[in-house]
Amino acid sequence: MNWTQRLCIALLVTLHCTISKAMTNPIVEGGNLATRIQTHVDDMPQHFRNIGEGTTYSDPTNQEVTDFLNNVFSPLYSLDYTTAATNAQAMDYQLVEFTDNTDSNVYYILERDPLSNANNFWGTYVLNPSPDRGQLVIQAPHPRFDFRTGKQSAYIFRQVGAGFLFVSGTHRCNSPTPSGCAGVSSVCSKSISGDPAPQEFIDEGSVFRESDVAHNEASMFQHVTEWVHHDNPTYYTFIQLHGFGAQDMDPHVILSNGKDENTPPPQNDLLIVLRTQISNEWDNSSGSGISLDIEVAHDDNGSFNKFLGTTNTQGRFINNSVSPCNVVAPDNTGQFVHIEQASKDGDYFLREEANFFILGQAIINTYTEAPLPVKLLSFGARYFKKKVELQWETGWEESNSHFQVQRSVTGHDPFEPLGFVMGKGDSDISLYYQFQDTLISAFQNQNLYYRLKQVDFNGNFEFSEVVRAFIPGSDNRQRLLYGNQGTGSGLSVNLPVELTKMDQVTFHFIDMRHGTHDKLLVDPDDIKSVLEQKLSASSPGVYRIVLEYGGVKVSDKYLRL
């Protein structure tokens, strides 16, 4: 989904909503985002050798993956924060609306409930609803093992204005259980400062562990990555931050797309650009006097062949592996960026906190916001005379082929296609579109949800926000007023759930005693204030109030004392 487009959409806000379960708003907090993410890193399950009581991490079940993606992450992705926050609670997660005190921007942090006793260390997922580079997803799969990369990832996410930040929920060596994925790694089974690894790790040998989310296709980290990539396969670029202890001849930085020197990207080789930008920013800003040695995997003639991320399961998936755990990816899409950052003799170079901004600025100089094919100014839906009317407006269009109108009964996937509306190709003026859903006879007293899939002439597509329309039943009646007597002040008005800002409401105010009848058009936002004014100015008696909109009438009586 296109990020700027999301912000241009005029969201339909219902004035009253009757739902079957209590809804939860996000927790509101503030502070420094990078510091907040570092607390997650500090509190996450440690290396197995430091736990003392065994393993903490285990993979989510298939049902947990389905529930998390469909009921929690999907609403967050669609900016439906209340639904995401409500459903997160059922999975011992929580959604935090976090205002960063360095840039005053608001971020949404989907995190494990710190009071939970559940074994659900699935990671932290941060959404930026107003990004500058919405196509970038910053990832830290080893935030505790690769020193400082957790805090660095949050700093860079904020600095570059990326769309998402994904941070693993556990130490890569928390569990001795092998992930079963291809590759060799001794980082969990070797001795540290003469302290041998736990016997469980030694017995399994030099393999990747299930707690290593960069090498485990069953992790929630992997599933969320796949979900986002699936939503728009050509839009997102995933940038992973890693660290390694350098030997004497090792470079300071290793850049790869998860492929070796035999597979460069087909076009737009941005790693070459990124290498230049890192070098320039380092020379201009670090003041260290050290010249960084930066390797690009497919541009070194095969002279360096380690730390290239070729077994990384996120990279393999994005590079079109049919089975990321065990099958080498055939392609280099250029949409996975693996950044290894050296440390040596106590110097962390790019991973020094004072140098975080250098890599961030290099990313800014390399990646610009992807061009938008359509600027969507508004999109709305309303029930009217046994059908749902959809209307939307574009501010400009570029290579716009068509819109596919889609419907869902839940507000989340699956959405079914209903029909097409052809676009105008190229336009620099406002254009208006409409579509009618007449296939609604099977639905009563429930919401239907709609979105647009905008497709350009190259086959690229973006999804709009999700909007809803309430379908009333044949016996759909409700009380309009709670407390139907008084002087007219302090009214509690129960506005219909299906009433939206798109509706033009005819307001009827009828004096039952004298037979007078006032009728006027009002906006939904003004109904309560207009009613209070009418009643306050009226003499004692019985009055009938009727709201008429979209072929629906709702009425009630009020005794003016």
Side-chain angles (χ1 to χ4, degrees):
M1 184 180 293
N2 187 291
W3 292 91
T4 304
Q5 180 176 341
R6 292 181 181 188
L7 299 178
C8 293
I9 295 171
L11 297 177
L12 293 177
V13 181
T14 56
L15 301 175
H16 177 83
C17 183
T18 303
I19 48 180
S20 59
K21 64 178 180 179
M23 301 298 285
T24 301
N25 290 321
I27 301 167
V28 178
E29 296 183 10
N32 184 294
L33 180 66
T35 302
R36 173 58 183 272
I37 294 302
Q38 185 59 43
T39 63
H40 284 277
V41 177
D42 294 338
D43 295 340
M44 70 176 49
Q46 305 175 50
H47 192 299
F48 183 87
R49 71 173 72 228
N50 299 324
I51 295 176
E53 296 182 358
T55 303
T56 300
Y57 176 84
S58 62
D59 287 331
T61 65
N62 290 338
Q63 188 61 54
E64 286 172 331
V65 170
T66 299
D67 291 344
F68 189 84
L69 293 179
N70 293 345
N71 301 334
V72 182
F73 188 80
S74 176
L76 173 64
Y77 185 84
S78 299
L79 310 185
D80 183 356
Y81 306 124
T82 300
T83 300
T86 301
N87 294 338
Q89 286 187 324
M91 305 196 74
D92 290 297
Y93 259 65
Q94 63 185 23
L95 184 63
V96 177
E97 179 185 299
F98 191 88
T99 301
D100 185 83
N101 58 19
T102 64
D103 60 13
S104 299
N105 287 340
V106 175
Y107 304 94
Y108 288 86
I109 305 173
L110 183 58
E111 62 184 14
R112 181 181 182 272
D113 184 345
L115 301 180
S116 171
N117 294 319
N119 189 6
N120 60 339
F121 297 93
W122 300 333
T124 299
Y125 306 92
V126 187
L127 176 145
N128 179 358
S130 304
D132 297 317
R133 293 165 183 79
Q135 80 275 29
L136 297 186
V137 181
I138 309 299
Q139 297 187 317
H142 303 145
R144 192 169 183 122
F145 184 85
D146 293 347
F147 187 54
R148 294 198 182 117
T149 56
K151 190 171 187 178
Q152 181 191 37
S153 68
Y155 183 100
I156 290 176
F157 163 75
R158 182 181 60 196
Q159 179 187 1
V160 306
F164 285 102
L165 169 66
F166 296 174
V167 181
S168 170
T170 185
H171 192 292
R172 69 182 298 185
C173 299
N174 175 254
S175 170
T177 304
S179 72
C181 291
V184 176
S185 175
S186 63
V187 297
C188 297
S189 57
K190 65 182 180 181
S191 298
I192 299 178
S193 301
D195 180 21
Q199 192 62 44
E200 293 92 335
F201 284 88
I202 296 174
D203 291 344
E204 295 292 349
S206 297
V207 296
F208 294 117
R209 314 294 164 160
E210 68 174 359
S211 50
D212 185 347
V213 299
H215 300 278
N216 179 8
E217 67 177 350
S219 71
M220 193 68 78
F221 193 96
Q222 176 79 19
H223 285 292
V224 175
T225 298
E226 293 184 8
W227 192 98
V228 172
H229 180 71
H230 268 310
D231 180 71
N232 197 334
T234 63
Y235 182 67
Y236 291 103
T237 295
F238 298 79
I239 299 178
Q240 281 197 2
L241 306 182
H242 295 263
F244 71 102
Q247 304 299 314
D248 288 340
M249 300 303 292
D250 288 343
H252 298 96
V253 183
I254 306 163
L255 304 176
S256 80
N257 295 122
K259 298 293 293 181
D260 58 22
E261 71 280 357
N262 296 316
T263 318
Q267 57 185 0
N268 298 328
D269 191 352
L270 292 179
L271 290 195
I272 302 299
V273 179
L274 183 59
R275 175 174 61 187
T276 300
Q277 294 297 332
I278 293 174
S279 180
N280 291 344
E281 291 298 325
W282 176 267
D283 292 343
N284 294 335
S285 304
S286 72
S288 67
I290 298 173
S291 179
L292 286 189
D293 180 9
I294 306 173
E295 293 282 350
V296 173
H298 53 265
D299 192 49
D300 70 348
N301 298 317
S303 62
F304 194 83
N305 57 9
K306 63 179 180 179
F307 304 129
L308 304 185
T310 56
T311 58
N312 183 294
T313 53
Q314 290 89 56
R316 282 186 166 186
F317 175 81
I318 294 164
N319 287 324
N320 299 323
S321 170
V322 295
S323 178
C325 189
N326 291 300
V327 178
V328 174
D331 305 317
N332 182 348
T333 63
Q335 294 174 254
F336 177 72
V337 177
H338 189 273
I339 304 178
E340 286 281 1
Q341 306 165 91
S343 63
K344 185 178 181 182
D345 299 330
D347 191 340
Y348 284 83
F349 306 103
L350 290 179
R351 282 187 286 154
E352 295 286 355
E353 285 198 40
N355 294 333
F356 283 175
F357 76 96
I358 292 177
L359 180 56
Q361 189 58 50
I363 292 173
I364 289 173
N365 296 342
T366 304
Y367 295 90
T368 57
E369 174 64 50
L372 311 180
V374 168
K375 182 179 182 180
L376 191 60
L377 297 180
S378 65
F379 176 40
R382 69 164 184 166
Y383 173 83
F384 182 74
K385 295 184 178 179
K386 299 183 179 181
K387 60 182 178 293
V388 174
E389 292 184 341
L390 300 162
Q391 299 175 352
W392 62 98
E393 177 187 1
T394 62
W396 49 260
E397 302 180 16
E398 181 178 342
S399 299
N400 180 26
S401 171
H402 63 273
F403 299 92
Q404 183 187 72
V405 180
Q406 300 181 345
R407 184 180 71 188
S408 167
V409 296
T410 63
H412 314 302
D413 289 327
F415 276 82
E416 60 173 334
L418 295 178
F420 295 88
V421 177
M422 299 307 297
K424 303 301 183 183
D426 298 316
S427 171
D428 58 1
I429 62 173
S430 294
L431 296 171
Y432 298 88
Y433 297 87
Q434 62 182 359
F435 181 89
Q436 292 184 347
D437 180 11
T438 59
L439 303 176
I440 62 172
S441 59
F443 306 102
Q444 291 191 14
N445 292 312
Q446 70 177 89
N447 288 311
L448 291 178
Y449 300 85
Y450 298 87
R451 71 182 181 186
L452 301 175
K453 179 180 180 180
Q454 182 276 318
V455 184
D456 67 22
F457 290 126
N458 293 321
N460 297 321
F461 61 89
E462 302 288 345
F463 288 112
S464 74
E465 270 313 328
V466 175
V467 298
R468 72 172 186 169
F470 181 80
I471 313 302
S474 58
D475 60 346
N476 189 55
R477 298 171 184 167
Q478 67 176 58
R479 292 302 304 270
L480 180 60
L481 303 176
Y482 288 132
N484 61 348
Q485 63 179 357
T487 61
S489 62
L491 287 174
S492 178
V493 181
N494 179 30
L495 292 175
V497 66
E498 70 270 22
L499 190 60
T500 74
K501 288 186 176 181
M502 282 184 63
D503 288 302
Q504 188 74 52
V505 179
T506 301
F507 177 93
H508 300 264
F509 187 77
I510 304 169
D511 185 337
M512 304 293 290
R513 179 179 178 184
H514 298 101
T516 59
H517 183 174
D518 293 340
K519 183 171 70 172
L520 64 156
L521 294 177
V522 298
D523 290 330
D525 284 340
D526 299 330
I527 290 173
K528 183 175 183 293
S529 62
V530 170
L531 179 55
E532 288 182 336
Q533 291 171 11
K534 285 286 186 182
L535 288 171
S536 297
S538 299
S539 59
V542 178
Y543 294 85
R544 183 174 179 82
I545 297 96
V546 180
L547 303 182
E548 188 176 3
Y549 57 93
V552 177
K553 287 185 179 181
V554 180
S555 65
D556 212 336
K557 292 181 180 180
Y558 187 85
L559 176 60
R560 170 68 163 89
L561 301 178

